[in-house]
Amino acid sequence: MPLVPPPKTRVTNSRKSSKTLLLTGFEPFGDDPGALSLNPSLSIAQALNGQKIGVWRVAGEVLPCEFGRSVRVLKTLMREYEPEAILCLGQAGGRSAISIERIAVNWDEAALADNAGVLRTGQAILKTAPAAYFSTLPIHDMRDALLEAGLPAELSSTAGHFVCNHVFFSLMHMLRGQATPAGFVHVPYLPEQAKLTGAAQTPSMSLGSMNAAIRCVIEKLAPSKKP
Ligand code: PCA
């Protein structure tokens, strides 16, 4: 079950000399051996918390891996930080590259229960909302910058139908009609997680490379031209 992340420094942007980017990771989830008590998305959010990257001051936070509470926590963080950009991260064990998600779909369906024991076997996230939303991040520029930096990267057309897609969809729905750039990036297992799956071919990436990759992604992000 999830570990409570260690206390960390809160980002405050009182002088507003830089813009706030809310960067979220998820707590560990699932019971496959690769899960351990780790989730690289959380490690990245903790590592980059408080850093200045390009024009951005990063506020790194954790979301619970629960359909219900994840979105409530995200809403609270959005109220608290009033961020000018939002990037949510999640772990996609088995993927071999930094996966920049194109699209969030209005559907929950997974074989795995969330950390509160809730199983969603096929239902709309919001009955009255559109079927899908596109990421509003410059996804192609981000992918190209990663590849130029020698980091494995891809665009992905599915964030799955578990809590990551749920958060991604809810985020894009909350921000509809607004200029705030937002989106989702999935990351591979850490090497220590991949080892525990027992399969020799399970792909992984070091935390150092993932931190560098997410820095590179954030550098490509220009603030919106809000008045
Ligand atoms: N990955 C899961 C949920 C939390 C996470 O890090 C997913 O892809 O839905």
Side-chain angles (χ1 to χ4, degrees), residues 2 21 23 46 183 210 212 221:
L21 179 139
L23 179 70
Q46 288 174 331
M210 292 202 221
L221 189 54

Side-chain angles (χ1 to χ4, degrees), residues 24-30 39-42 62-71 74 86-93 95 99-110 112-115 118 120 125 133 135 156-174 182-188:
T24 67
F26 278 100
E27 64 184 11
F29 68 99
N39 186 325
S41 67
L42 171 58
V62 57
L63 297 181
C65 188
E66 295 174 29
F67 287 106
R69 222 154 54 83
S70 55
V71 177
L74 179 61
I86 304 177
L87 175 59
C88 296
L89 306 175
Q91 163 191 309
R95 292 198 193 176
S99 259
I100 304 168
E101 301 294 348
R102 285 189 182 91
I103 189 163
V105 297
N106 189 359
W107 199 252
D108 286 338
E109 183 170 334
L112 182 69
D114 72 8
N115 283 355
V118 173
R120 296 261 166 102
I125 296 171
Y133 288 105
S135 170
S156 159
S157 290
T158 178
H161 305 296
F162 190 45
V163 182
C164 285
N165 174 72
H166 184 91
V167 161
F168 183 19
F169 182 85
S170 305
L171 171 68
M172 301 318 295
H173 184 70
M174 285 189 272
F184 200 99
V185 171
H186 265 118
V187 298

